[in-house]
Amino acid sequence: MNRLPTAMATAMVLIAAGSVATLAHAQVSAYASIRAPRNLAPSVSPVPLGSLGVFPTEGWSSQTAMPSQRWAHALASYSMGAYPLNDAFVYVISGADGSFANTSSVLRYDVAFDTWTPMASLPVSRTQLSAAQVGGKIFVPGGYGGSFSPVTRLDIYDIATDTWTAGAPLLQATGDYAIGTFQDRYVYVLAGYSGSADLNTVQVYDTQTNTWQLATPKSGTAAAGLRGGIVGNHVIVVGGYSQVMAGELSETQIGTIDAANPAIITWAPGPAYPGGTAGRLGAGVPVAAGPAQGLPALNFVVFTAGDPNGSGTLAKNDTWIYDFRDNSWKSGPTKPTGVSNICDIIGISTGGKLRMVSTGGYDGSTVVSVQEWLTLGYEEPADLAITMSDGNVSVAPNGSVTYSLGYTVTGAAGAPAATITETVPVGTTFNAGTSAAGWVCTPDANAGSTCLFPLGALADGANGSVVFSVDVTYPVAPGITEILNSASIATTAPYAPEQNLANNVASDTTPFADGAVDITPVSGLVTGEDGSSASFQVVLAVPPTGDVTIAFASDDPTEGIAAPAQLVFTTANWNVAQTVTVTGISDFLADGDVAYTVSGSIQSGTGNYANVVVPTVSLTNLDGPSDRIFADGFDGVVPARR
């Protein structure tokens, strides 16, 4: 028999003595394989009873292996440059080597150049640790510094400078935990092993303040070797090993993080892991593509591989995806190499596709150096855009507005099922007769109803337009001075949420047409100093948005006076003509026939009549037959005009 490293020999003695349950499962199962026959065929747990959906992927593929074997190590990823021409990097951090010795080595894989490069080593080597990338830095908390001895260290790697610094220590020494990030700020260390017991503790690190706080503990069984992830404010942790129960778990616990307080998590049991009992499996969250590349913005967490029973002799290679959109498990493809003792699988965005990366691990007999990628079943997310135009027109308060909604889609994957959504604007009703066929409005055609227009599947480069028409409700409700409309476009692409949402909404403002006052006639009217009068008719040419009061006044009250001095038009009588009569006035002056005007002005009214100019009426007042004149202080009588 070959000489064994001290740690391995110790593990054999402990296992033989039945003491597995007293140790942190994280390392025992790797060593346990020495005394048990290797399972040559990686184990794939059966799919549980019932039908599970299949998650679309392009399968696993083998990439350039690491230059050396590695297990119980941390993984992180980072993207640089503008998507989709960005370069992605994979970081392999510490862990143990093929001789089961701890290593502080850090390797970086450059996806674009297909090269592995040594980077600055982790200051203190350890195993069963995980990593999280936030803001261009990689945070590596806890892990085992020695055999089953967790540490409180937090080491922070600056990607730009290839240097390490120390962060605030954890509140509880922990190894073999699950990890996740929230709001691109907080790092969560979930459960794990304290050195003496399994934990349900959740520790939250604020990358901006360099402080830790305790969050709501995980529900369910305390465990080490569990794995999980965080997407949005959703948390999932799966499996692990229970010292108390002396076995692996298939538990799933789901948490919801309070957006206002990252330390508050509402936990509840989720559907059991369909892969069965599993510990020291890999888990990770795909990164987003597009402008949000590198952020954990997708709606699912990927799990793969692991140890089904804690013996270290069985290595799983099944893959399962938890989908938060419908809170269900979906099956994925078989990983090429069955392994346990992996801590993270990480997402990268490269070549217009999203991929999950797994490296190394223990296959039940040896430590491996593999690098394997799971390519998710879609290419870069589609970019949908919508525009809206009313033709740059105004609308009468009882008229109609027709909008042209233009749409485009770009992105290799297209949009599997795109829909335009309209909300019937305030002050209008939907006009199905002049709109494109296919709109479905709920609950009716009135303002506030939601109207959907399904576009169906759109290929890359697809474009078109859809007509949406509304009638302006009359009379116009108080306070409405224009028609405000907006529309949005979205796709129900199942696994690639659109990243550029700024162009998914369009709006347009349609002002009411300016009011107009019609007066007939506006000239040729004659009054006389003998009291004779003339009349003109006043009516509104455009419906008003509210009551309109027009005041009339003569520019020379000594020649003529208009009555009534005001006319009021309402939304009910706006199109009914009203009469203004102008009566001539005698001024007792032999001044001949005098031209004068009667002018109107809007005294009240909002919306489309607030600034309307009223036409001016021109009149002539005929001189009287016996006007008196006053000259040099004497009265005189002027002969009547013939």
Side-chain angles (χ1 to χ4, degrees):
M1 181 176 179
N2 294 330
R3 169 175 276 182
L4 302 175
T6 300
M8 296 178 67
T10 301
M12 288 179 62
V13 172
L14 290 168
I15 293 168
S19 303
V20 174
T22 66
L23 297 175
H25 155 252
Q27 292 188 6
V28 170
S29 58
Y31 302 147
S33 62
I34 299 170
R35 64 185 301 273
R38 179 186 178 191
N39 177 34
L40 297 178
S43 168
V44 179
S45 299
V47 177
L49 293 176
S51 176
L52 289 178
V54 176
F55 193 91
T57 74
E58 297 179 12
W60 287 91
S61 61
S62 296
Q63 306 297 320
T64 301
M66 295 183 291
S68 59
Q69 300 158 302
R70 193 74 64 97
W71 67 285
H73 55 287
L75 281 184
S77 66
Y78 180 70
S79 292
M80 182 175 65
Y83 180 88
L85 301 178
N86 61 292
D87 194 4
F89 300 91
V90 175
Y91 290 83
V92 176
I93 302 168
S94 196
D97 60 21
S99 299
F100 299 95
N102 285 13
T103 176
S104 61
S105 166
V106 175
L107 299 173
R108 186 187 72 180
Y109 179 70
D110 187 325
V111 173
F113 291 92
D114 189 26
T115 55
W116 287 97
T117 304
M119 309 303 289
S121 296
L122 185 70
V124 175
S125 66
R126 44 203 194 267
T127 60
Q128 305 301 349
L129 74 170
S130 290
Q133 189 272 123
V134 176
K137 295 183 178 180
I138 298 174
F139 298 83
V140 184
Y144 295 146
S147 179
F148 320 125
S149 298
V151 300
T152 60
R153 287 189 64 93
L154 171 65
D155 291 299
I156 304 171
Y157 178 73
D158 189 313
I159 293 173
T161 61
D162 186 31
T163 57
W164 290 93
T165 57
L170 281 79
L171 303 175
Q172 166 74 64
T174 307
D176 209 10
Y177 48 82
I179 199 167
T181 64
F182 177 57
Q183 294 181 341
D184 198 32
R185 173 175 177 175
Y186 301 100
V187 177
Y188 286 67
V189 174
L190 301 109
Y193 186 68
S194 70
S196 60
D198 296 324
L199 300 171
N200 272 344
T201 306
V202 177
Q203 302 179 71
V204 183
Y205 177 72
D206 187 335
T207 62
Q208 295 183 8
T209 63
N210 189 34
T211 57
W212 289 91
Q213 61 179 319
L214 291 175
T216 308
K218 178 189 76 68
S219 59
T221 306
L226 77 174
R227 300 293 185 256
I230 299 176
V231 286
N233 68 332
H234 300 300
V235 188
I236 181 172
V237 288
V238 163
Y241 185 89
S242 167
Q243 310 297 319
V244 173
M245 299 175 65
E248 303 282 4
L249 305 172
S250 61
E251 282 187 7
T252 297
Q253 299 294 331
I254 304 291
T256 302
I257 303 173
D258 187 325
N261 186 344
I264 297 176
I265 307 174
T266 303
W267 291 97
Y273 186 52
T277 56
R280 286 187 294 126
L281 62 167
V285 177
V287 300
Q293 61 169 308
L295 298 182
L298 301 182
N299 295 319
F300 50 91
V301 181
V302 181
F303 295 81
T304 193
D307 185 334
N309 62 11
S311 70
T313 63
L314 303 178
K316 294 163 59 66
N317 60 357
D318 49 338
T319 300
W320 302 94
I321 296 93
Y322 191 81
D323 193 335
F324 278 107
R325 293 164 312 128
D326 57 8
N327 291 308
S328 71
W329 285 103
K330 294 179 173 64
S331 63
T334 298
K335 185 177 180 294
T337 305
V339 291
S340 63
N341 285 281
I342 54 177
C343 299
D344 311 296
I345 59 174
I346 49 96
I348 60 172
S349 168
T350 178
K353 297 193 177 186
L354 307 184
R355 311 174 197 270
M356 301 300 297
V357 178
S358 175
T359 61
Y362 184 76
D363 70 0
S365 176
T366 60
V367 181
V368 299
S369 60
V370 299
Q371 179 186 196
E372 294 170 342
W373 290 6
L374 173 63
T375 298
L376 302 175
Y378 47 84
E379 296 174 315
E380 64 177 286
D383 180 21
L384 278 72
I386 189 170
T387 60
M388 174 185 290
S389 175
D390 63 2
N392 197 29
V393 299
S394 58
V395 60
N398 63 346
S400 299
V401 188
T402 297
Y403 301 94
S404 176
L405 308 177
Y407 62 87
T408 58
V409 58
T410 56
T419 301
I420 295 176
T421 300
E422 268 273 10
T423 300
V424 180
V426 174
T428 71
T429 58
F430 172 65
N431 187 329
T434 55
S435 298
W439 285 101
V440 178
C441 297
T442 305
D444 49 39
N446 294 326
S449 293
T450 300
C451 298
L452 302 178
F453 191 93
L455 296 168
L458 298 176
D460 179 22
N463 63 85
S465 63
V466 176
V467 171
F468 182 80
S469 181
V470 295
D471 296 328
V472 179
T473 305
Y474 195 76
V476 176
I480 299 178
T481 59
E482 56 193 358
I483 303 301
L484 304 176
N485 188 26
S486 64
S488 62
I489 189 170
T491 178
T492 55
Y495 307 112
E498 191 176 353
Q499 296 301 311
N500 180 19
L501 299 177
N503 57 1
N504 284 44
V505 178
S507 60
D508 204 350
T509 300
T510 307
F512 285 125
D514 290 337
V517 177
D518 286 343
I519 294 180
T520 307
V522 294
S523 62
L525 297 179
V526 176
T527 60
E529 292 191 357
D530 59 359
S532 56
S533 62
S535 299
F536 56 87
Q537 305 293 307
V538 183
V539 69
L540 302 188
V542 176
T545 57
D547 290 353
V548 177
T549 300
I550 306 175
F552 291 95
S554 171
D555 69 336
D556 189 350
T558 64
E559 297 295 339
I561 297 177
Q566 289 186 339
L567 296 178
V568 178
F569 291 92
T570 69
T571 56
N573 72 352
W574 65 272
N575 57 352
V576 177
Q578 298 186 53
T579 300
V580 175
T581 299
V582 183
T583 302
I585 302 298
S586 176
D587 55 9
F588 304 105
L589 295 174
D591 54 358
D593 299 338
V594 178
Y596 67 103
T597 61
V598 171
S599 299
S601 61
I602 303 295
Q603 296 298 296
S604 64
T606 57
N608 57 337
Y609 275 85
N611 302 306
V612 167
V613 175
V614 180
T616 299
V617 180
S618 300
L619 303 97
T620 300
N621 194 35
L622 300 180
D623 203 9
S626 56
D627 285 342
R628 301 180 65 191
I629 62 172
F630 300 89
D632 299 328
F634 296 97
D635 293 345
V637 178
V638 177
R641 185 178 63 186
R642 301 298 181 187

